[in-house]
Amino acid sequence: MKMDAPLLRFENVAFRYPETSQDVLQGLTLEVPQGQVTAILGPNGAGKTTLLRLAYGRYLPRRGRVWLEGRLLAEYSRQEIGRIVALVPQREANPFAYSLLEYVLLGRAPYLLPLQMPAASDVTIAWEALERVGLHHLARRSVQALSGGEYQLLLVARALAQQPRLLLLDEPTSHLDLANKKHLIECLRSLLAEGVTILMTSHEPEVVAALAQQVVLMRDGQVLHSGPLETLWNAETLSATYNVPLRVWEFDGHRLVTWE
Amino acid sequence: MSVVPRAHPLDLTAHVSTWLESRVRARQRLFWMGVLLVAVMGISVFLGRYPQLGLMSPTQMLEDPLAQRLILNLRLPRLLAAMLVGMSLAVAGLVLQMVFSNPLVEPGFLGVSQAAAFGAALSIILFGGMAWRVQVSAILFGMGGLALSYLLARRVRYGGWVLRLLLSGIAVSAFFAAGVGLIKYLADPLRQLPEITFWLLGGLSSVTWKPLLSALPLMMIGLLVLFLMRWRLNLLALEDEVAFSLGVAVHRERLLALLAAVMVTAASISIGGLIGWVGLLVPQLARRLSGADARYTLPTALLLGGTFGVVCDDLARILSAGEIPLGVLTSILGAVGFLILMTRPTIKV
């Protein structure tokens, strides 16, 4: 596969949820380049999370096509997708007191046959994933003892145990304190260095500016603008996306966005 | 600044080996629970009210032909039934808790128990309580209760899939409970009503080889399927989105697990009547002992459930000259055990 071919491509995709009558995505076209961080921004209800759901085949488009690594996503089996694409959901509830290691091991499911159990090699991979997000010292603890931020990192670890080439993150930093935010950004950067492609949604401009090379600005189920961060990160474009006057600041190498 | 070499590979092997050790410990624990079950079964064979209250001496068993017949034709099938019913209800409870991602669910959800009870009561007033007819009717109605809950859930326009199933299950249960009430009202108070009441209270006193053997295949198949799926159950407890992203065919696999769980539940109800609380208490206890991972929790629940069933049935047999209904005993012990678990300082459901 060529390096410059997009890993994921949405081609004129329209989608509505079953039993609803309004399109959430309306003829959306989008390319996620390989080996980069692409961030989706836009107001609540713009269709960001829906877009992620279509990216791992949870739903199929009503119209248009989704391509993954040059092949139609609809032609993949679920297990195949699970080995290429991993999802870190915005939040996740589970009432049972798994240990962190047991929970991360669930990420090995796409590699196991229906009745197969994870083996020592899977444990090694799960342990490495925990180490990457810095939770390995808690491996035997219960997931219920984790703080909100640690839990988010745990979900990232489970996604890493899938050894994905495309990582989908739905507002990954929304529950994190400043230290954990920095930690996660560094962790994602190191994945990037290994060639993992990242597609994330975010409501936090400073996180996007620190991490993303590509930006997609969405509104009402459509892409307003997409392209390199440098060309889109200005007050005009962002203000138009959120429909509120915004200012962009550059300060000591950080890019900040504030209200007018 | 000196660069500290990371003890990475060493660290990993060390970790994997501690993981392997924890697996060995889990297996040892299971082994001892198995030993406990066998021991309880062994003692229970000699335990009873013949020739007098207490343990029968082995010499008597060898010499007294009546004792031999008693053990072979009555006690043995009853013990096996108690074990299998306990195992089935415990495992079914665990599976339902995982599929619904709710530690407070038990096999009676989804309308299964009430529908099976209705089927049994109906058969008692229509056919006068012939054992195999009651049994078949209970199984058919139990499965029908699930099917009805499932079909209704597809039409409910509120909440996610799991909540829909629970809601329609509650409605179906109420519907069949009303039906049971009506049948009790219509039943002949001298002949049929006592039989229905006894059946609703649960008990194994009428179990012989024949009903046991007819329920056995369903239980064995269901339990085997669930045992083989045990690690996979963890994935079914995840939220739809996440399970899907891990390559799990969420709806299909959940349905398979539910079908197996309902099959063993209906088979249990068909030989023992309504026996509550086992399916709620034992999985809770199993999680305390073996953690949340169903790979170990399920075998734990299986062995503990079997032991619990046999012990409860022993008590039902020997505590009083007349039988105490098994369902009453499991409810008392279950409720007390549940309260003890829930008031212990480590909340780990």
Side-chain angles (χ1 to χ4, degrees):
Chain A
M1 196 176 48
K2 284 191 312 205
M3 273 308 280
D4 51 352
L7 186 71
L8 182 74
R9 199 155 82 88
F10 280 63
E11 189 183 292
N12 198 23
V13 167
F15 174 75
R16 65 175 60 156
Y17 284 100
E19 295 154 26
T20 60
S21 56
Q22 215 203 333
D23 282 355
V24 189
L25 301 179
Q26 307 172 357
L28 175 143
T29 298
L30 174 72
E31 287 190 353
V32 177
Q34 182 132 20
Q36 298 190 10
V37 177
T38 303
I40 311 170
L41 284 126
N44 290 322
K48 303 188 294 293
T49 301
T50 306
L51 193 148
L52 289 189
R53 285 182 182 147
L54 267 79
Y56 70 92
R58 174 73 179 89
Y59 294 104
L60 292 175
R62 195 165 72 86
R63 197 156 42 73
R65 286 181 235 192
V66 181
W67 303 84
L68 177 67
E69 297 192 332
R71 202 171 130 205
L72 265 182
L73 191 66
E75 291 172 2
Y76 286 86
S77 75
R78 276 177 214 197
Q79 282 221 317
E80 282 177 305
I81 296 175
R83 287 178 217 147
I84 301 172
V85 187
L87 172 76
V88 179
Q90 209 176 111
R91 61 190 80 234
E92 179 178 326
N94 195 311
F96 302 111
Y98 288 96
S99 76
L100 268 63
L101 189 64
E102 286 167 346
Y103 210 61
V104 172
L105 258 179
L106 298 181
R108 297 303 297 160
Y111 295 89
L112 299 173
L113 296 170
L115 299 180
Q116 205 183 344
M117 314 253 170
S121 58
D122 297 304
V123 175
T124 308
I125 292 165
W127 172 257
E128 275 173 335
L130 269 176
E131 205 175 33
R132 272 215 107 115
V133 301
L135 291 178
H136 53 292
H137 59 290
L138 300 172
R140 305 234 135 257
R141 291 270 202 85
S142 157
V143 295
Q144 290 180 338
L146 295 183
S147 71
E150 288 165 335
Y151 198 85
Q152 196 82 20
L153 292 170
L154 173 76
L155 299 184
V156 173
R158 188 187 58 204
L160 294 184
Q162 284 174 257
Q163 300 179 311
R165 297 201 279 279
L166 172 62
L167 190 61
L168 305 174
L169 300 145
D170 198 0
E171 293 181 34
T173 50
S174 55
H175 300 290
L176 301 186
D177 64 23
L178 284 174
N180 277 328
K181 215 174 269 192
K182 178 170 177 284
H183 184 63
L184 180 67
I185 288 175
E186 277 161 10
C187 173
L188 293 178
R189 276 195 187 134
S190 78
L191 286 174
L192 203 61
E194 287 168 30
V196 175
T197 307
I198 294 172
L199 176 64
M200 62 187 278
T201 70
S202 183
H203 283 303
E204 290 169 286
E206 72 274 14
V207 173
V208 172
L211 203 57
Q213 290 91 46
Q214 300 286 325
V215 175
V216 177
L217 299 172
M218 275 185 82
R219 196 185 166 84
D220 301 327
Q222 281 169 325
V223 173
L224 288 186
H225 302 281
S226 72
L229 182 88
E230 276 69 29
T231 61
L232 295 175
W233 211 251
N234 54 62
E236 252 171 280
T237 325
L238 290 176
S239 300
T241 307
Y242 286 98
N243 206 15
V244 69
L246 297 170
R247 292 180 75 172
V248 175
W249 305 85
E250 199 138 339
F251 176 74
D252 203 12
H254 293 275
R255 295 192 180 94
L256 306 174
V257 178
T258 62
W259 294 284
E260 183 88 294
Chain B
M1 200 178 81
S2 68
V3 180
V4 183
R6 278 208 319 164
H8 190 105
L10 232 163
D11 214 29
L12 270 181
T13 25
H15 189 80
V16 169
S17 66
T18 50
W19 176 75
L20 287 172
E21 278 163 27
S22 80
R23 260 180 52 172
V24 170
R25 273 200 303 277
R27 287 194 181 147
Q28 279 171 348
R29 207 159 37 217
L30 286 174
F31 172 77
W32 287 114
M33 280 185 246
V35 169
L36 177 69
L37 174 61
V38 172
V40 166
M41 290 283 282
I43 293 169
S44 302
V45 171
F46 298 100
L47 195 67
R49 289 187 158 264
Y50 177 87
Q52 68 282 324
L53 179 63
L55 285 169
M56 185 192 290
S57 68
T59 42
Q60 177 159 30
M61 193 183 78
L62 289 174
E63 286 159 11
D64 183 352
L66 183 60
Q68 286 168 5
R69 276 215 303 281
L70 174 84
I71 285 178
L72 214 58
N73 296 332
L74 293 174
R75 250 180 226 171
L76 221 48
R78 185 169 173 171
L79 271 176
L80 286 174
M83 181 187 81
L84 283 166
V85 165
M87 285 177 162
S88 297
L89 293 175
V91 168
L94 178 73
V95 170
L96 264 77
Q97 288 172 8
M98 301 217 66
V99 168
F100 290 117
S101 201
N102 182 342
L104 296 177
V105 173
E106 64 132 20
F109 275 69
L110 299 181
V112 180
S113 297
Q114 288 301 336
F118 177 80
L122 191 68
S123 164
I124 289 171
I125 62 162
L126 289 184
F127 307 115
M130 280 172 66
W132 70 271
R133 282 188 175 160
V134 174
Q135 205 176 358
V136 169
S137 178
I139 290 176
L140 287 181
F141 272 87
M143 302 292 264
L146 172 78
L148 203 57
S149 297
Y150 181 81
L151 291 175
L152 280 174
R154 297 177 70 119
R155 307 210 133 239
V156 173
R157 290 278 168 277
Y158 175 77
W161 175 240
V162 167
L163 185 57
R164 292 185 197 182
L165 261 179
L166 284 181
L167 287 174
S168 54
I170 289 170
V172 170
S173 286
F175 177 73
F176 281 110
V180 171
L182 186 66
I183 290 179
K184 281 165 83 174
Y185 181 71
L186 294 174
D188 178 341
L190 291 179
R191 287 187 302 114
Q192 295 165 340
L193 193 57
E195 196 174 345
I196 294 175
T197 308
F198 180 75
W199 204 86
L200 289 175
L201 288 172
L204 295 168
S205 58
S206 58
V207 172
T208 50
W209 286 111
K210 215 173 140 193
L212 176 64
L213 289 178
S214 64
L216 196 65
L218 281 182
M219 287 175 161
M220 295 307 262
I221 292 170
L223 288 178
L224 182 70
V225 167
L226 294 172
F227 182 77
L228 290 175
M229 283 180 81
R230 63 196 186 280
W231 186 74
R232 202 101 186 136
L233 290 173
N234 296 316
L235 297 166
L236 304 186
L238 294 171
E239 286 177 9
D240 287 14
E241 302 269 294
V242 179
F244 196 103
S245 77
L246 292 170
V248 181
V250 197
H251 284 197
R252 217 180 319 143
E253 290 183 38
R254 281 196 189 136
L255 192 63
L256 177 66
L258 276 183
L259 264 179
V262 166
M263 204 161 84
V264 298
T265 304
S268 304
I269 293 177
S270 83
I271 53 175
L274 291 188
I275 296 168
W277 281 90
V278 182
L280 186 59
L281 175 79
V282 176
Q284 300 275 358
L285 193 61
R287 271 196 290 274
R288 295 293 174 100
L289 292 172
S290 298
D293 188 350
R295 180 178 188 175
Y296 299 111
T297 318
L298 189 137
T300 308
L302 188 83
L303 295 172
L304 284 181
T307 311
F308 186 73
V310 173
V311 169
C312 283
D313 191 51
D314 283 348
L315 294 176
R317 284 191 295 139
I318 60 173
L319 275 186
S320 76
E323 286 238 351
I324 298 175
L326 181 58
V328 173
L329 266 176
T330 58
S331 292
I332 294 172
L333 290 179
V336 170
F338 189 72
L339 282 174
I340 292 173
L341 275 184
M342 289 298 133
T343 48
R344 289 282 292 282
T346 48
I347 294 298
K348 200 175 158 191
V349 279

